[in-house]
Amino acid sequence: IMTLVIVTLSFVLVIVPVLADHGTGATPSKTEGLDISGIRGFNYVPSNRINDVDTWRDYNSTTVELEMAYAARVGFNFMRVFLNYVVWEAELESFIDKLRHLVQTANSHGINTMPVVFDDCQFGCGNVIPEYNSTTKCWLASPGHSRQNNISWWPEGEKYVNALVQGLPTGTPGLMLWDVNNEPECAGAAQNWAFVHHFILFFKNVTSTPVTVGVASANNLNQVASAVDVISYHSYHHDWQDGLANLNMAKLFAVRYSKPFFNSETGCISRANAYDQTIELHQRYNTGWVIWELMISECRDCVDTRRWKHGIVYADGTIRDAAAVAAIKGLFLKRQGDIAVPRPNVEGVAAQVLAKGKQWLSNSSTNDYKIGCNILDSMANLLESSSTIPCVIPLSYEVRSLSLSGDSASTRERLAELMELSMTTLLQVEDGSETQSGMCIYA
């Protein structure tokens, strides 16, 4: 039986097909006291790992402890982490020990954990069956669609789940939720909602820790909303209104079933899904969120291209997106009303630096190299602090590289090139003409 529910939320009209219930509705005792709307989370793959097979097979406790410290410093309170059946199958108790270590380490930093047990995504891997010794540079499913769609395999999956819940029983410090199955829709023609519902119910029979299923689209919440304890969805929206529509869709199901809800995947540079804006959207509407992902991958040739579109923190603890970190702490860029546009020359310093730059460039082949680096550093400070130039590769990064490299014909040439470009930009904006749109120069 299918009905249509029409609801207007936050000025967005939502028309949702609602299928017959798959479960019994809300289970308040399981979620009572959980601050789902207060989730400020990240998906976690260690910076030096490719997928959830090598994450666990080659588990490095030192890396995990360092990166959990980064997460706490940034301001996160929740971690979503993918497990893989094939690693448990090969290692059994050793795998459980690794999982315990991760949960305990995160908890010591004030971070709750939600392990993801099964996963239908396999970016770049085609229909590859995951293997313990895999070295492929793509994202692997768990346990793999061929196993998932073979009902005779399900008892093996039940053994896996039993091992997990016995290793992390209800009440384990830091264990907040179980995500039974990530994005069942990613299986395409092989998607199997019967498998998902079987393991939702199995989890409920063996643990009282709340369960959820992170669906790829809020449009598919009708498949699981009645059966899970907490509703979760993913939204890599391209703009604010699209993100708000997805949030309202999820909120509709939350109201219908009297359950908490949150977004367990969001944030992607290459999908116009800016970290700071998606975080702001969810916090303004009192909705928990989990970005993809904490760490910037060190893999430069992975098929899933995560390094180039995801991640907040580098392996050395520095960051790529300052606006995202500010947003995590509840501080957002001003995008309405009167903006106080920075004027780098309001005290005359910009003019002084420009004069020094002009003098140095007049004889760049013989003038003191260190002084030239200092002048360029001053220009970087003026331009970066006034948000006049983009910080994809910060000018200050270039200055430090040149200083460390030392004086040579090639470094002098690069120093002069950057100084000329910076002077051109600084001349345009020194007195506030940067109020014109499109003034930034991408050098």
Side-chain angles (χ1 to χ4, degrees), residues 51 259 413:
N51 51 45
K259 298 179 181 181
E413 182 180 359

Side-chain angles (χ1 to χ4, degrees), residues 93-114:
E93 190 58 32
S94 175
F95 174 86
I96 300 300
D97 288 341
K98 295 172 182 178
L99 178 56
R100 285 197 197 99
H101 175 265
L102 177 61
V103 173
Q104 290 166 359
T105 302
N107 183 60
S108 72
H109 290 287
I111 297 169
N112 288 319
T113 298
M114 178 175 73

Side-chain angles (χ1 to χ4, degrees), residues 55-375:
T55 290
W56 296 105
R57 182 192 62 212
D58 307 322
Y59 188 81
N60 186 304
S61 59
T62 301
T63 298
V64 164
E65 289 162 9
L66 180 64
E67 294 179 351
M68 289 303 105
Y70 293 160
R73 190 187 311 165
V74 170
F76 290 109
N77 64 13
F78 183 90
M79 169 177 60
R80 182 173 184 252
V81 63
F82 286 69
L83 314 181
N84 200 298
Y85 166 79
V86 298
V87 185
W88 171 79
E89 181 185 38
E91 297 185 356
L92 300 177
E93 190 58 32
S94 175
F95 174 86
I96 300 300
D97 288 341
K98 295 172 182 178
L99 178 56
R100 285 197 197 99
H101 175 265
L102 177 61
V103 173
Q104 290 166 359
T105 302
N107 183 60
S108 72
H109 290 287
I111 297 169
N112 288 319
T113 298
M114 178 175 73
V116 182
V117 180
F118 299 113
D119 179 18
D120 279 302
C121 292
Q122 46 187 22
F123 299 117
C125 284
N127 199 28
V128 173
I129 298 175
E131 295 180 357
Y132 179 71
N133 293 317
S134 170
T135 57
T136 185
K137 291 188 175 181
C138 59
W139 190 265
L140 292 159
S142 174
H145 300 152
S146 60
R147 293 188 182 102
Q148 193 171 304
N149 289 325
N150 178 3
I151 196 168
S152 66
W153 179 87
W154 293 7
E156 296 303 312
E158 292 172 359
K159 293 177 186 176
Y160 171 47
V161 171
N162 272 324
L164 295 174
V165 300
Q166 289 167 15
L168 294 176
T170 299
T172 297
L175 177 66
M176 189 172 185
L177 299 164
W178 290 103
D179 191 336
V180 177
N181 201 127
N182 177 64
E183 298 193 350
E185 306 98 310
C186 280
Q191 67 180 302
N192 189 337
W193 292 105
F195 174 89
V196 176
H197 280 280
H198 174 83
F199 280 97
I200 291 173
L201 292 174
F202 188 82
F203 258 99
K204 287 187 168 187
N205 285 331
V206 297
T207 182
S208 57
T209 301
V211 300
T212 189
V213 169
V215 295
S217 169
N219 291 316
N220 293 322
L221 282 170
N222 59 302
Q223 295 284 355
V224 296
S226 64
V228 296
D229 301 305
V230 176
I231 292 169
S232 62
Y233 71 104
H234 300 164
S235 180
Y236 291 101
H237 47 274
H238 293 185
D239 57 64
W240 185 280
Q241 288 303 315
D242 186 27
L244 183 56
N246 292 338
L247 187 153
N248 280 330
M249 179 79 76
K251 186 175 181 180
L252 176 67
F253 285 100
V255 171
R256 172 179 167 85
Y257 294 109
S258 300
K259 298 179 181 181
F261 77 104
F262 71 112
N263 181 347
S264 57
E265 273 191 37
T266 192
C268 181
I269 294 166
S270 65
R271 299 181 198 173
N273 186 216
Y275 285 116
D276 67 314
Q277 291 214 50
T278 191
I279 292 170
E280 180 179 1
L281 169 67
H282 290 88
Q283 292 193 189
R284 290 201 185 283
Y285 287 88
N286 194 34
T287 302
W289 49 265
V290 185
I291 64 163
W292 192 289
E293 59 191 304
L294 173 66
M295 301 306 300
I296 297 168
S297 172
E298 293 184 338
C299 183
R300 296 171 181 271
D301 58 350
C302 283
V303 181
D304 61 15
T305 64
R306 285 184 10 252
R307 175 179 173 84
W308 315 114
K309 62 189 180 186
H310 291 296
I312 298 291
V313 183
Y314 287 102
D316 64 1
T318 57
I319 61 169
R320 177 160 62 186
D321 185 348
V325 174
I328 292 164
K329 296 180 180 295
L331 300 169
F332 309 111
L333 285 174
K334 187 173 180 63
R335 291 187 168 98
Q336 295 181 22
D338 182 32
I339 292 179
V341 178
R343 296 189 175 186
N345 199 41
V346 75
E347 293 187 0
V349 173
Q352 295 172 20
V353 173
L354 284 165
K356 291 179 181 179
K358 185 176 180 181
Q359 190 281 327
W360 192 89
L361 285 171
S362 67
N363 200 349
S364 61
S365 62
T366 59
N367 277 334
D368 188 282
Y369 179 78
K370 184 177 180 181
I371 290 175
C373 287
N374 291 342
I375 293 168

